[in-house]
């Protein structure tokens, strides 16, 4: 796992990005709604959401028709990337809002409903990472500006934009029994890769993470 690359291979990001992570993460003891490691993803693959009617600030951008191969499928790989964006302008309850938005995307892209335990766990990991990144922005960056979630074949990419100046990172050394500071450690453990992107001349940053479907 790399914590130094500002973006993953093949993903066009602005130059001048910084890939180092540092600073505290989301709490592990329920200090904020949806920020409880391990518990935040419970029920993530159970309730079937209605067709999206457009959450406040939500904009969907799709490069191909919905429905790429579900996790674990042996179908041909798709080179098209589907992306959904959710703006948090004037929104309340941003963590559950982000989880619901991500869950609807997973249903649209075939990650849910899950056919196996491994596929269900993969979908719940995505929802947990969304919760932790949004919670971290709430705690350390005056709240998130936008959530972007994209699907490219069997990889889900989550991006959370904010206007903070800090550099989120797993607390080192990590101690499981210590309150707080577990959010970015969870992201590090669950994701294929992650990093921070900054655009020169613009305030804020984008924290991104990528998760893969089970083989």
């Amino acid at each position: 796992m790399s914590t130094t690359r500002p973006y993953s291979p093949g993903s066009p990001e602005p130059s001048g990005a910084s890939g180092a992570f540092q600073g505290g993460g989301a709490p592990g003891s329920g200090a904020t709604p949806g920020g409880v490691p391990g518990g935040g993803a419970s029920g993530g693959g159970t309730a079937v959401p209605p067709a999206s009617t457009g959450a406040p600030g939500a904009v969907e951008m799709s490069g191909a028709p919905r429905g790429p191969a579900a996790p674990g499928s042996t179908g041909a790989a798709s080179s098209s990337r589907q992306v959904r964006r959710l703006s948090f302008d004037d929104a309340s309850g941003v963590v559950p809002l982000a989880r619901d938005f991500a869950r609807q995307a997973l249903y649209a892209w075939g990650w849910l409903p899950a056919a196996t335990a491994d596929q269900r766990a993969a979908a719940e990991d995505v929802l947990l990472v969304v919760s932790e990144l949004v919670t971290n922005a709430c705690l350390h960056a005056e709240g998130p500006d936008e959530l972007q979630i994209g699907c490219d074949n069997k990889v889900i990419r989550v991006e959370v934009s904010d206007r903070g100046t800090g550099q989120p990172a797993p607390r080192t050394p990590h101690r499981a029994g210590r309150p707080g500071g577990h959010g970015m450690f969870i992201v590090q453990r669950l994701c294929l890769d992650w990093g921070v992107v900054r655009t020169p001349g613009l305030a804020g940053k984008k924290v991104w993470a990528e998760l893969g479907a089970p083989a």
Side-chain angles (χ1 to χ4, degrees):
M1 178 182 301
S2 168
T3 59
T4 59
R5 293 205 301 273
Y7 53 88
S8 60
S11 178
E13 297 290 356
S15 60
S18 170
F21 271 66
Q22 61 187 13
S29 56
T32 61
V36 183
S42 62
T46 55
V48 179
S52 175
T53 56
V59 177
E60 179 178 345
M61 298 179 62
S62 176
R66 292 181 182 177
S73 171
T74 57
S78 171
S79 60
S80 298
R81 183 165 183 254
Q82 300 177 87
V83 177
R84 292 184 171 200
R85 293 182 176 90
L86 172 66
S87 172
F88 293 106
D89 289 346
D90 301 322
S92 59
V94 294
V95 175
L97 179 64
R99 284 178 60 87
D100 289 344
F101 182 78
R103 183 181 292 110
Q104 289 183 16
L106 294 178
Y107 272 96
W109 296 333
W111 284 56
L112 289 173
T116 68
D118 285 346
Q119 292 175 13
R120 186 177 303 108
E124 290 178 350
D125 286 349
V126 172
L127 298 177
L128 181 54
V129 167
V130 167
S131 295
E132 297 299 344
L133 293 184
V134 173
T135 298
N136 200 60
C138 291
L139 292 177
H140 304 291
E142 301 180 4
D145 288 335
E146 182 183 81
L147 165 67
Q148 177 175 303
I149 180 168
C151 180
D152 187 355
N153 193 22
K154 295 172 70 174
V155 174
I156 293 287
R157 181 179 174 98
V158 177
E159 301 178 359
V160 175
S161 303
D162 62 58
R163 283 166 284 185
T165 58
Q167 289 286 99
R171 179 182 289 173
T172 304
H174 178 260
R175 298 192 180 112
R178 181 169 53 185
H182 305 291
M184 295 310 298
F185 177 78
I186 290 173
V187 172
Q188 181 184 47
R189 291 292 300 270
L190 294 180
C191 293
L192 300 171
D193 204 358
W194 45 280
V196 174
V197 172
R198 296 186 186 273
T199 302
L202 296 179
K205 62 184 179 296
K206 179 185 297 181
V207 184
W208 62 266
E210 292 186 339
L211 303 93

